Amino acid sequence: MTHEAPAPTAARTATVALALGDDALVLSHRLGEWMGHAPVLEEEVALGNIALDLLGQARILLSMAGDEDELAYLREERAFRNVQLVEQPNGDFAHTIARQLYFSTYQHLLYDRLAAGRSPFAGLAAKAVKEVAYHRDHAEQWALRLGDGTEDSHQRMQRACTALWRFTGELFRPLDGLDLDPADLEPAWLESVGGILERAGLTPPEGPRTGAWTAGAGREGLHTESFGRMLAEMQHLHRSHPGATW
């Protein structure tokens, strides 16, 4: 019997860096789409700051995988390895908050574990976990305000949480090269998100998070319809003016 040799360490590190970097890059761009459109000026600043934090994480991670500009602006859709949750359209504000609550809770748990380890991502995670804690708290506060707000805001927040629920199972699938099993983070994620939804007066979604009726193949390069349009917008300037500098 023959056994397939494991990939070299550098290649495995690059695989993880690309996946985590794409998560941060794509979500950063989605949040940046709120500039000039946020419900209130203060929130526009907050979303802009979160987007910049994620962009900073993306730059470091993509640099670990190759040339950050080429990876961000010259790859085709099927080459991106982000989870499908982060590429979901902003929708109304409640959809943005639900997406942020789901992802930032996962990312905080992930970076907290990576920061305590000795992988090549420990340094980045130790710095980023403080930023992500703020992202999670920001999403939590808005989830509470919307869920426990008016009847309209409650219904919108409930619809958003339910609509995005099927994308959350992908967060906990194995990622080759990562020195921890994302599935180990899932119980804490369910407890944290479930607790926030209950305090907000929202009903935790009952739909499936894994299986045939759920979404999630972004790590394999399969993305949802809206991602292509987002990517075209994100890459337009760089592709139109190759080599241009400020």
Side-chain angles (χ1 to χ4, degrees), residues 59-225:
R59 291 193 62 188
I60 295 172
L61 288 161
L62 294 182
S63 294
M64 296 170 71
D67 182 285
E68 61 181 272
D69 288 328
E70 289 188 9
L71 290 171
Y73 298 123
L74 295 178
R75 275 184 297 162
E76 302 295 334
E77 178 179 335
R78 291 292 297 268
F80 277 78
R81 293 294 180 265
N82 56 278
V83 292
Q84 292 181 354
L85 175 64
V86 298
E87 70 194 39
Q88 295 310 300
N90 288 328
D92 68 13
F93 189 63
H95 274 74
T96 293
I97 293 303
R99 185 185 63 201
Q100 200 64 23
L101 176 66
Y102 290 162
F103 183 76
S104 62
T105 301
Y106 151 79
Q107 195 184 35
H108 184 256
L109 291 168
L110 174 66
Y111 280 7
D112 188 54
R113 285 282 299 275
L114 290 175
R118 296 184 177 182
S119 75
F121 306 100
L124 163 72
K127 179 177 182 293
V129 72
K130 302 172 186 174
E131 300 171 345
V132 178
Y134 164 73
H135 303 172
R136 183 204 56 195
D137 290 345
H138 174 268
E140 176 181 350
Q141 293 307 312
W142 269 109
L144 295 173
R145 290 173 67 181
L146 296 176
D148 195 28
T150 66
E151 180 61 26
D152 183 49
S153 72
H154 174 86
Q155 292 181 0
R156 288 188 177 198
M157 194 65 205
Q158 184 67 66
R159 284 198 296 269
C161 290
T162 301
L164 294 175
W165 189 249
R166 68 193 185 96
F167 292 97
T168 59
E170 185 182 11
L171 297 171
F172 306 102
R173 294 182 181 177
L175 178 56
D176 184 41
L178 193 64
D179 64 349
L180 61 87
D181 185 352
D184 292 341
L185 307 175
E186 192 167 11
W189 184 89
L190 287 168
E191 182 179 1
S192 177
V193 169
I196 293 169
L197 296 183
E198 289 183 5
R199 283 193 287 124
L202 299 163
T203 303
E206 296 181 350
R209 299 174 51 250
T210 58
W213 297 103
T214 63
R219 298 287 194 227
E220 290 77 50
L222 299 178
H223 298 283
T224 51
E225 183 179 356

